[in-house]
Amino acid sequence: MIKISLPDGSIKEVENGSSALDVAKSISQGLARNVLSASFNEKTVEVNDPLPGDGSLVLYTWDNPEGKTAFWHSSAHLLAQALAQLYPGIQLTIGPAIDNGFYYDVDFKGQEFGEADFSKVEKLMLENARQKSEFKLRAISKADALDFYKGNPFKTELIENLEDGTITFCDHANFTDLCRGGHIPNTGFIKAVKIMSVAGAYWRGNEKNPQLSRVYGTSFPKAALLTEYLELLEEAKRRDHRKLGKELELFTFSQKVGQGLPLWLPKGAELRERLEQFLKKAQRTAGYSPVITPHIGNKELYVTSGHYAKYGKDSFQPIRTPDESEEYLLKPMNCPHHCEIYKSSPRSYRDLPIRYAEFGTVYRYEQSGELHGLTRVRGFTQDDAHIFCTPDQLKAEFQKVIDLVLYIFKTLDFQNFTAQVSLRDKEDRSKYIGSDENWEKAENAIKEAVIEKGLDYVVEYGEAAFYGPKLDFMVKDALGRQWQLGTIQVDYNLPERFELEYKGSDNESHRPVMIHRAPFGSMERFVAVLLEHCAGNFPLWLMPTQIAILPISDKYLDYANKVSSLLKNYDLRALVDQRAEKTGRKIRDAEVAKIPYMLIVGEKEEGDETLSVRRHGGSDLGSMSIADFIKHIDAEVAAEIGEFE
RNA sequence: GCCUGUGUAGCUCAGUUGGCCAGAGCAGCUGAUUUGUAAUCAGCUGGUCGGGGGUUCGAAUCCCUCCACAGGCUCCA
């Protein structure tokens, strides 16, 4: 007998050779039916394999992320099996579980595969699933593994990088795949399957490598869950910022202007302006000085900064002047310009920190396939600022920026953000410029600042900017894709390259440290993510049109216009629906336009100088005097914005 | 840039074995209606079927090519 301890603290005695599944059966039949994976002594094990001895066991079902991972990982095997059956001669590479499903990268060896083929793959997968084939993991020697995959350069490469003695294959039915393990008991658990898309993916993510076809799929233990998931995707589509942006007339694109170059329509521009004013006010409080710099700069400037060497190919081609020796670049970054402003005058330690802020529009030649609505464009405006400070001031300045970012996220109700500390790649240091010593200092300053602020964060190695480590604030869009919004970056390198100096109290020259920071990130991306976050129902203070005044008939137009001009005097944004439509229609249109407040005015309201107030979404707030309504709105806006201290 | 798709009126979409003059709803315009909490009625306007080239007696439909968009891959705000 062996002793198995379970998460609830209980200890189960089971016979030698029992599997995780046997333990589940000894607890309850219901559990046994639902167990998808297990970990033994904190290591993932095969649920069907005998447990090696005493230890602690955790069983996972669909309700645990571990269970889903095993489920989708196993589904990837099922997909590979079906593809291999349908397309003889294809080469399999890798097929991991991902956030909402799985994919498999295959080389179709020239065979056609497109959307039209999805249903036959799904059908075959389900057919195979019904066989209830067990997944069996077995050890294999490196030599045998290489022999098995002779002729498949991808698997061969994977195996070569593995240690002999640790290599395992997974068999189910008559299908075998290189695999490290973690499977569901058998294929019968997979009840619903959907191939989502097929896309090109370079082997190991490197565009110099051959391109494979990545087949994306998802699967579920119940058909109803698949339906539910597809409905969720539909809902996400309704929240898509590209759709809402069009409907709410915020922005557009024109082929004639160019790819990735957003055109802000009046309502969108107004919204964006309000966001800018909001941040400018907070930045005034925080001691920033506004600066303004031009849209182009001499190429030499970016050669000095190192941007040209690193991002030259991602820039628009240089602009030439009639003077042949001159080359200008559409500015891809604002920092070199700000460095030159710093240098425009000698600086003393008494001047620091200096904080230059600019809503600077920058241009980057993103590959056409990269462009995506407002979240990835070729011309965008950063809410950029550069803080020049002494090394002693770095941590405090960094923390002040964190406060500013958190204030913004709080005001706009972004609760589900991820703070990511991005550090250098541990192995490859060649991607970065600057001394090890400075990198160490910068990385430590960020870590300390984040810990002292009590921020939840994850550390990502290799995600740093080429000139320094950073702290990024990531938010997910409607489809679950993660985008970087706010960013705070420490930089010892630009001060060096631009030979920035200040005179210390010791009358010696010293080098300042720079912080690059953009709490929104870019206005374009921020508006996009905000739009999806609130499904177009922006907070009242941001709404381009806050109030729709709806006269019952044109007899009350005069009163409606009078109310409108009164509201405008209070800096409120109202429109009067002058159409000869029925009230029901006017309300519907205002609802569809997501206007927060509707004021219905007719005979009664005109008589006693009141308003009949309706809130977007259907609630009737009843009758109110104009003064009370203004107070009501002011209170709502004040509650939304709060003060930055 | 590459892979897989998509592109018909301002918007959403029909037109899918090539065949009268390319359709609908919404929006817009004109008129009637003077209306009380999610769509009043009628009429009218609006299209180089993404651009170019080709096959054909005949192309939105088939072929080639370019462009844009969408979902991915690398990078990044």
Side-chain angles (χ1 to χ4, degrees):
Chain A
M1 297 295 265
I2 52 172
K3 287 196 184 102
I4 303 297
S5 65
L6 296 164
D8 65 358
S10 67
I11 296 195
K12 210 107 203 146
E13 285 213 22
V14 291
E15 279 176 42
N16 283 338
S18 293
S19 68
L21 201 56
D22 293 330
V23 177
K25 274 182 198 150
S26 77
I27 296 169
S28 87
Q29 277 303 316
L31 181 62
R33 269 200 304 277
N34 288 312
V35 166
L36 297 177
S37 75
S39 72
F40 186 71
N41 292 338
E42 283 162 29
K43 271 167 65 185
T44 305
V45 291
E46 295 295 299
V47 282
N48 295 320
D49 285 358
L51 296 167
D54 295 351
S56 63
L57 180 74
V58 187
L59 298 167
Y60 300 114
T61 66
W62 183 253
D63 297 324
N64 311 112
E66 292 86 350
K68 287 194 175 79
T69 302
F71 192 88
W72 284 325
H73 168 84
S74 307
S75 302
H77 283 303
L78 198 61
L79 170 62
Q81 178 196 14
L83 290 174
Q85 281 174 282
L86 288 167
Y87 302 91
I90 60 166
Q91 292 187 330
L92 300 172
T93 71
I94 55 163
I98 52 174
D99 262 5
N100 289 303
F102 53 91
Y103 68 77
Y104 214 110
D105 281 353
V106 300
D107 187 340
F108 277 101
K109 288 282 161 199
Q111 298 179 76
E112 302 252 326
F113 184 76
E115 258 170 54
D117 306 303
F118 290 2
S119 62
K120 69 177 177 221
V121 176
E122 289 161 5
K123 237 181 100 193
L124 184 55
M125 282 174 74
L126 284 174
E127 219 168 89
N128 289 336
R130 269 183 239 116
Q131 306 302 313
K132 301 192 177 167
S133 320
E134 279 192 17
F135 291 98
K136 289 271 189 205
L137 204 62
R138 64 178 155 100
I140 186 164
S141 73
K142 193 164 184 169
D144 288 347
L146 286 171
D147 189 52
F148 184 86
Y149 281 116
K150 212 174 346 162
N152 181 331
F154 310 105
K155 290 287 191 192
T156 301
E157 187 180 326
L158 291 174
I159 295 165
E160 304 234 306
N161 289 322
L162 293 171
E163 197 84 12
D164 197 3
T166 65
I167 301 169
T168 47
F169 273 14
C170 171
D171 302 308
H172 82 271
N174 56 356
F175 180 75
T176 301
D177 202 354
L178 173 70
C179 178
R180 76 163 73 89
H183 300 96
I184 58 177
N186 67 62
T187 57
F189 283 69
I190 302 167
K191 294 273 173 32
V193 163
K194 178 114 186 134
I195 302 302
M196 304 300 292
S197 65
V198 55
Y202 297 102
W203 171 237
R204 306 220 135 166
N206 187 335
E207 59 185 313
K208 290 188 185 76
N209 288 341
Q211 188 164 44
L212 307 167
S213 298
R214 177 166 298 178
V215 182
Y216 284 90
T218 191
S219 59
F220 295 90
K222 271 191 213 156
L225 289 171
L226 173 61
T227 314
E228 208 173 278
Y229 176 67
L230 294 177
E231 274 164 14
L232 203 79
L233 288 184
E234 285 302 310
E235 168 58 24
K237 263 193 217 161
R238 281 190 280 277
R239 292 176 91 98
D240 191 309
H241 76 275
R242 293 163 297 188
K243 183 176 155 64
L244 287 170
K246 192 180 273 181
E247 282 169 8
L248 300 175
E249 300 173 322
L250 300 178
F251 59 87
T252 189
F253 289 89
S254 158
Q255 262 188 60
K256 292 189 174 135
V257 173
Q259 272 187 291
L261 300 171
L263 304 173
W264 290 83
L265 304 174
K267 286 178 187 168
E270 237 185 273
L271 178 96
R272 187 175 136 172
E273 219 165 76
R274 288 220 149 65
L275 280 171
E276 291 184 7
Q277 291 306 331
F278 161 69
L279 179 57
K280 277 180 182 166
K281 188 176 167 216
Q283 287 183 165
R284 260 198 307 281
T285 310
Y288 286 77
S289 318
V291 294
I292 297 171
T293 67
H295 285 243
I296 66 172
N298 196 300
K299 189 178 126 186
E300 287 309 309
L301 186 67
Y302 307 104
V303 172
T304 304
S305 71
H307 289 121
Y308 194 75
K310 184 82 183 167
Y311 291 115
K313 65 171 173 15
D314 301 325
S315 299
F316 282 89
Q317 287 304 294
I319 300 162
R320 285 168 210 287
T321 65
D323 180 344
E324 277 178 24
S325 60
E326 273 186 325
E327 285 188 332
Y328 288 85
L329 237 46
L330 268 170
K331 78 174 164 188
M333 315 255 170
N334 300 301
C335 20
H337 298 241
H338 291 183
C339 286
E340 287 303 309
I341 293 178
Y342 179 91
K343 277 182 91 172
S344 64
S345 164
R347 307 293 173 183
S348 141
Y349 72 97
R350 294 175 199 276
D351 300 328
L352 302 184
I354 288 174
R355 310 179 186 95
Y356 292 141
E358 173 178 21
F359 284 85
T361 305
V362 296
Y363 300 88
R364 298 180 190 169
Y365 189 81
E366 301 286 351
Q367 295 190 95
S368 65
E370 289 302 321
L371 301 172
H372 180 92
L374 277 188
T375 49
R376 175 73 107 268
V377 288
R378 284 181 174 164
F380 58 99
T381 302
Q382 293 179 311
D383 55 326
D384 213 356
H386 295 94
I387 299 168
F388 302 86
C389 62
T390 69
D392 290 347
Q393 293 167 330
L394 177 65
K395 198 163 90 187
E397 282 303 308
F398 200 91
Q399 290 182 329
K400 280 186 200 167
V401 179
I402 294 179
D403 289 338
L404 184 62
V405 173
L406 294 181
Y407 165 66
I408 286 167
F409 277 34
K410 181 165 173 272
T411 304
L412 291 162
D413 198 34
F414 282 125
Q415 284 135 0
N416 296 321
F417 61 85
T418 311
Q420 177 180 309
V421 175
S422 301
L423 306 178
R424 269 181 306 178
D425 195 319
K426 282 175 167 167
E427 271 96 58
D428 182 9
R429 300 251 136 130
S430 65
K431 302 191 267 193
Y432 309 100
I433 57 176
S435 71
D436 269 356
E437 189 200 348
N438 282 342
W439 270 89
E440 293 279 315
K441 274 198 276 182
E443 292 187 341
N444 288 333
I446 292 186
K447 281 189 266 187
E448 283 168 31
V450 167
I451 290 165
E452 281 176 33
K453 277 284 150 201
L455 224 56
D456 273 339
Y457 67 97
V458 292
V459 176
E460 290 289 341
Y461 292 93
E463 291 293 313
F466 75 97
Y467 48 75
K470 55 182 184 165
L471 173 63
D472 291 326
F473 293 83
M474 325 282 286
V475 176
K476 280 187 181 170
D477 72 7
L479 290 168
R481 285 174 298 220
Q482 208 167 53
W483 295 101
Q484 178 186 325
L485 293 180
T487 178
I488 318 174
Q489 316 182 347
V490 178
D491 185 355
Y492 285 91
N493 292 299
L494 279 190
E496 198 104 27
R497 288 173 165 261
F498 281 94
E499 300 177 322
L500 306 184
E501 293 181 342
Y502 64 90
K503 213 52 130 189
S505 56
D506 54 4
N507 200 28
E508 296 289 320
S509 283
H510 298 274
R511 192 126 286 167
V513 188
M514 256 175 99
I515 297 174
H516 306 241
R517 46 108 279 179
F520 289 139
S522 88
M523 300 312 293
E524 285 73 10
R525 182 178 291 177
F526 193 84
V527 168
V529 176
L530 179 61
L531 191 50
E532 300 196 355
H533 180 69
C534 65
N537 296 304
F538 291 106
L540 185 59
W541 66 278
L542 271 178
M543 265 295 180
T545 302
Q546 299 168 302
I547 301 152
I549 304 168
L550 314 178
I552 297 289
S553 82
D554 53 17
K555 281 187 229 156
Y556 313 107
L557 256 180
D558 284 349
Y559 179 60
N561 285 322
K562 186 180 141 196
V563 172
S564 166
S565 60
L566 257 165
L567 294 176
K568 273 177 193 146
N569 287 343
Y570 283 88
D571 210 18
L572 296 174
R573 305 180 288 279
L575 61 77
V576 178
D577 190 337
Q578 315 230 8
R579 296 174 302 170
E581 289 288 350
K582 290 191 173 179
T583 310
R585 176 55 182 272
K586 292 182 181 178
I587 287 171
R588 184 190 142 79
D589 288 347
E591 286 284 353
V592 168
K594 300 182 189 289
I595 298 172
Y597 284 97
M598 283 148 270
L599 305 177
I600 293 118
V601 295
E603 188 179 357
K604 185 172 143 302
E605 287 75 18
E606 183 172 33
D608 55 11
E609 296 256 303
T610 57
L611 306 162
S612 177
V613 183
R614 180 190 158 105
R615 176 82 226 213
H616 171 70
S619 50
D620 189 344
L621 305 187
S623 176
M624 233 181 256
S625 73
I626 300 171
D628 282 348
F629 176 68
I630 291 169
K631 265 189 237 160
H632 178 88
I633 296 266
D634 283 349
E636 185 172 335
V637 169
E640 282 172 352
I641 295 197
E643 284 292 318
F644 178 69
E645 282 147 38

